Amino acid sequence: TFYRYVAVIGYNEQTAAIVKQALSRKDVKYVLIQTRQPVEQVREHLDLCLDRREEQKVVLYYAERTSKEDIQLLHLDRAVEIYVLGEDMSFENEEDHDAFNINCLELISRSLQGGHTDNRKKCHVNFEYQSTFTAFKAAQIYQDLDKVIEFIPFNIHEIWAKKVLSDNFAIIPKERRGEFDVQKYYPIDTYLDGDERKHITYDSVGDNAKSVHVIIAGMNQMGTAFGLQVALLAHYPNFMRDHNLRTTITFIDDHAVDEGAYFRGRFSSLFCLCRYRTIDCKKESLKYGSEEHPYVDPLQEEAFKHLRTEDDNFLDIQWEFIQGNIASKEITQYILDAALDAKQTTTVAICFNHPQQSIATALYLPGLV
């Protein structure tokens, strides 16, 4: 047995970064990784990301995170911190990833009750789907979590969206091990005025009127996390002077009609108020005017009449769900027109599951985009 270790339950693409971060702390001597994947295979993958000193500080343990006995054998009362990552989503029987992680959290809470610890243990829990945590907060398990746990949920897709949209930078590994570059991103309200970069202000109306348009290709976990982060951040003061200057968030996906309905259902409180429209390019031509494709405006319903304003819907964001292939002529032209529209700043985010597909799509967009 040993002390001063960080326990990582599950192995996926995030594990190596967490190991390196943990071993850089002065209060941590070891990292204990519990996984149900083949241990030798995990060790080989992990060693590619760690130096020799770090490799010697990692202990691998083959076990199941939903087993009470296996969790007890981790002796988590001696751990400095706990990460519940779960296995890689491509691994067998990992379809119920979030449910397994919740089950694991409950087992950890029980194992720590009456343990030899004076402080609450920090327990970071990875949720693949943001909506899981929303539902989890209403569950009895959440209400009954023992006071010995400081519960910290996180979602890797949301973290990346914040890096791009809020922090405006990401750290990218270089060719040599241990060296990194900082990739900077411009805020999504940035636009060029001559050679000068400017941002939307309260006075950005009239000839300088600007609104933000974010086009997201792919309604997977990364795409929807990106869209939600835009919805949190993209609120600009010139809307107070001109209610036509709304931020538009556009999803483009082969199944945008069904995915859009599911998305609106998951965030029903938001779409009780927000304007949105759905366009199926397979059934109708893609035209840009609201007359051809009118927005659904919930505030026009009788139940919300007390929220109406003289200038239409008071919310400064609106949504589009466009069903079709991003490589089609119509959608390519739509993106090109949005990029060349002088009255808006346009950002295109390509969020497909396979990096090769995302890169190829970006390269084959029109040069002006």
Side-chain angles (χ1 to χ4, degrees):
T1 59
F2 51 89
Y3 293 82
R4 294 173 59 188
Y5 62 91
V6 168
V8 180
I9 301 175
Y11 181 84
N12 59 26
E13 72 276 3
Q14 304 162 47
T15 305
I18 291 171
V19 170
K20 293 182 77 70
Q21 181 185 18
L23 291 175
S24 67
R25 294 169 50 173
K26 293 182 179 179
D27 61 336
V28 174
K29 291 187 67 176
Y30 302 96
V31 174
L32 173 61
I33 301 174
Q34 185 212 70
T35 179
R36 62 183 178 87
Q37 298 183 54
V39 169
E40 288 303 320
Q41 183 177 322
V42 169
R43 170 73 71 181
E44 290 174 2
H45 289 168
L46 197 59
D47 287 354
L48 294 173
C49 306
L50 305 178
D51 59 34
R52 189 173 297 278
R53 182 191 66 83
E54 291 166 336
E55 291 171 15
Q56 295 172 348
K57 298 291 185 179
V58 174
V59 178
L60 287 163
Y61 171 53
Y62 181 81
E64 176 59 66
R65 71 185 188 276
T66 56
S67 165
K68 178 181 177 181
E69 291 76 13
D70 288 344
I71 293 297
Q72 287 177 336
L73 287 173
L74 294 176
H75 299 288
L76 294 174
D77 56 314
R78 300 171 182 164
V80 175
E81 207 159 329
I82 305 165
Y83 287 84
V84 181
L85 301 183
E87 308 298 343
D88 190 281
M89 286 292 289
S90 62
F91 193 63
E92 60 182 359
N93 300 323
E94 198 59 26
E95 295 84 357
D96 296 325
H97 177 279
D98 288 357
F100 289 161
N101 281 3
I102 291 171
N103 188 9
C104 180
L105 177 64
E106 185 179 17
L107 294 175
I108 291 170
S109 175
R110 292 176 181 174
S111 73
L112 289 173
Q113 293 177 17
H116 304 288
T117 178
D118 298 324
N119 301 317
R120 297 170 68 205
K121 294 288 183 187
K122 284 188 177 180
C123 188
H124 306 259
V125 182
N126 175 40
F127 290 112
E128 279 293 315
Y129 297 93
Q130 296 156 299
S131 53
T132 305
F133 177 57
T134 304
F136 176 54
K137 285 195 295 185
Q140 189 63 36
I141 301 172
Y142 180 76
Q143 311 300 328
D144 293 342
L145 278 180
D146 193 81
K147 293 181 180 179
V148 295
I149 283 184
E150 182 181 347
F151 172 53
I152 305 171
F154 71 97
N155 176 278
I156 192 65
H157 309 289
E158 182 180 359
I159 291 170
W160 266 108
K162 286 180 179 177
K163 282 289 181 190
V164 175
L165 295 167
S166 180
D167 299 338
N168 302 125
F169 78 92
I171 297 174
I172 310 297
K174 294 178 71 174
E175 291 182 3
R176 294 183 62 181
R177 179 180 291 184
E179 294 185 0
F180 300 91
D181 270 338
V182 175
Q183 171 70 58
K184 294 184 178 180
Y185 301 99
Y186 291 116
I188 56 176
D189 69 323
T190 304
Y191 64 95
L192 280 174
D193 186 1
D195 294 330
E196 185 181 358
R197 289 195 175 273
K198 293 186 176 181
H199 302 276
I200 293 173
T201 67
Y202 179 75
D203 298 317
S204 300
V205 293
D207 293 338
N208 293 320
K210 291 283 184 181
S211 62
V212 167
H213 189 179
V214 177
I215 300 171
I216 303 165
M219 287 197 71
N220 55 12
Q221 293 154 264
M222 187 68 246
T224 54
F226 200 90
L228 287 168
Q229 195 63 30
V230 172
L232 285 171
L233 297 172
H235 306 280
Y236 302 103
N238 61 342
F239 176 77
M240 301 302 295
R241 300 183 65 180
D242 184 350
H243 277 200
N244 293 314
L245 300 176
R246 285 186 176 86
T247 295
T248 302
I249 304 169
T250 300
F251 284 111
I252 298 173
D253 192 271
D254 287 327
H255 307 285
V257 173
D258 291 339
E259 290 293 334
Y262 178 54
F263 182 79
R264 294 191 299 274
R266 285 162 55 200
F267 302 100
S268 56
S269 297
L270 176 65
F271 285 94
C272 279
L273 302 173
C274 274
R275 288 159 44 101
Y276 68 90
R277 62 179 176 177
T278 302
I279 305 168
D280 188 348
C281 288
K282 297 175 183 177
K283 296 182 178 179
E284 52 189 327
S285 60
L286 178 57
K287 299 178 182 177
Y288 312 130
S290 58
E291 293 181 1
E292 290 87 352
H293 304 294
Y295 280 89
V296 175
D297 188 347
L299 293 194
Q300 297 304 314
E301 298 178 9
E302 187 67 18
F304 297 104
K305 64 180 181 181
H306 60 288
L307 296 176
R308 296 177 196 163
T309 65
E310 293 181 2
D311 297 317
D312 201 8
N313 193 304
F314 70 90
L315 286 177
D316 59 353
I317 59 173
Q318 60 189 11
W319 305 76
E320 294 180 327
F321 302 91
I322 299 177
Q323 180 155 300
N325 193 299
I326 191 172
S328 69
K329 184 177 180 180
E330 270 193 322
I331 290 180
T332 300
Q333 186 63 46
Y334 173 84
I335 296 172
L336 178 60
D337 291 345
L340 297 179
D341 189 342
K343 293 184 178 180
Q344 62 186 25
T345 69
T346 302
T347 298
V348 181
I350 300 176
C351 302
F352 297 139
N353 289 330
H354 301 290
Q356 304 94 314
Q357 185 184 6
S358 295
I359 292 169
T361 301
L363 292 174
Y364 284 106
L365 285 173
L368 289 172
V369 177

